[in-house]
Amino acid sequence: MKPENAGRDQGAGQRSLAREAISPIMARLSTYMSGAAGRELPANVVRETKHHILDTVAAMVSGAQLTPGLHALRFARAYGGEKIATVVASELLTGPIEAAMVNGVLANADETDDNYSTGGAHPGCAIVPAALAIGEKSGIDGTRFIRAVALGYDVGMRAFKLVAKGGVLSETHNIVGTFGASAACGCAVALDTRQMRTLIDYASQQAGAGIGAWRQDSEHVEKSFMFGGMGARNGVTAAMLVQAGWTGVNDVFSGPGNLFESYAPKVDPEILVRKLGEVYEVQNTIIKKWSTGGPIQSPLEAVSILRQRRPFEPDDVERINIRVASSAADKIDDSVMANLSMQYLIAVMLIDKGLSFKAAHDEPRMQDPAVLRQKAKIKVVADESLERLLPRRVAIVEITFSDGTTVTERNDTVRGSPENPMTSEEVIAKARELMVPVLGNEKCTKLIDRLCVLEDVRDIRELRPLLQRGNILDEA
């Protein structure tokens, strides 16, 4: 061999070895992900994961009645495709990618899905639909399904926190959705460590999509796609590409144009793997007590507490000032969408002495003179001091009565937050309220019973008859 050829061969070999070198962060993350399918979870994590699965399924079922859900179901009916995976609250079966996307839209359609207290992350509406769709394709059991969902929260929320810490993306919902759904799907189909690296690569390529223009869509359709459908679709796509033998970058965390350079160049990459197996992100995610936007939960709780302390009627109230974190105020201050309007929802709570799912989504009622009269009393104040307390979502409600007296309540720990979690009985009661109108009492009861003992489900496809119903589009 000529010396120059030998040099070229040696250089090629060195470059090959460099390509095969795996960064410590990637090695830790991909190894943890590949072991998740066979790794037993702590009992309290299993319980909390099942709570979030039930809560998200209830969101899918109830969301089928609303405008975003109806659009999603029309898409599924028109698209057709291979009959593999369930489209919830319908008689339709489609391919897993399409089912994940449609069910993700359903899950976010009514603002009752789980979220993170800083905003910017709705993990369940992407992760659970994706795991369900690819789980049906593969016929996984309930234990694998639970572990897949828990891993999805762990990876998706850490990716979100990486970018939210000071990354270059102003829109983060697809980050948590795509990384979370991809991780859940990779666990569901038991990808090995090398395959998980490729999965992370294809998740990274899809996760940066999305802009904040969804806030301009008053019908919530684009938002539901952004928060739920897109990430769920991306996750199933990434896993199925890897299953089909696609290759890619061996370590998307290293080299020019890597994930950290692209999304979070000034943030510590260690966030992605910090306390994996010790801190489970599903336990840090809020299950909403009410079917409203996240920043409205604490004010609703505060009004409820004040009313218990001093019973009053709507006409007793002269004015209400509600202080919230400054980043939340513009999202909920007199929004044109019922379930995102602080003034509308507080006004309804004053009148009804509670807030039902139906009332939270009653768009025509926003023009009811009785509601408008109460809305006029309510002011939202952006408070920088509360912004600094995030991720604790704190609200201060001050009610001044016509007799001149004033009462104040500061709410730091809304029911459903990690500091004040809902009991199993409360999660079930919420799910029943959401699902009975769509599925009926008998089917709803059977579905809840099965989801509460998911470990006993041998094949996730056993849930299909309980998730389905006659064509809701014919009634719309």
Side-chain angles (χ1 to χ4, degrees), residues 228-250:
M230 182 157 64
R233 178 201 66 187
N234 292 347
V236 176
T237 299
M240 290 183 64
L241 293 179
V242 175
Q243 278 191 302
W246 283 40
T247 57
V249 174
N250 199 33

Side-chain angles (χ1 to χ4, degrees), residues 28-34 36 39 123 127 147-163 174-187 196 199-200 203-204 207 253 259 271-274 276-277 279-282:
R28 286 172 61 188
L29 182 61
S30 58
T31 300
Y32 185 85
M33 290 169 65
S34 64
R39 185 183 303 117
I127 293 167
R147 292 174 182 175
V149 170
L151 179 69
Y153 279 80
D154 281 337
V155 175
M157 289 302 300
R158 281 173 170 82
F160 159 73
K161 290 176 180 179
L162 175 85
V163 174
N174 188 46
I175 290 285
V176 61
T178 296
F179 274 100
S182 296
C185 291
C187 177
M196 284 295 189
L199 178 85
I200 294 167
S204 301
F253 294 169
L259 177 137
I271 290 174
L272 270 182
V273 293
R274 189 169 294 152
L276 272 174
V279 173
Y280 294 88
E281 290 293 344
V282 72

Side-chain angles (χ1 to χ4, degrees), residues 3 52 61 88 159 163 235 330 392 430 448 455 464:
H52 284 264
V61 172
V88 171
V163 174
D330 66 326
R392 287 170 60 213
K430 176 190 172 184
I448 290 172
E455 305 94 324
R464 179 177 296 167

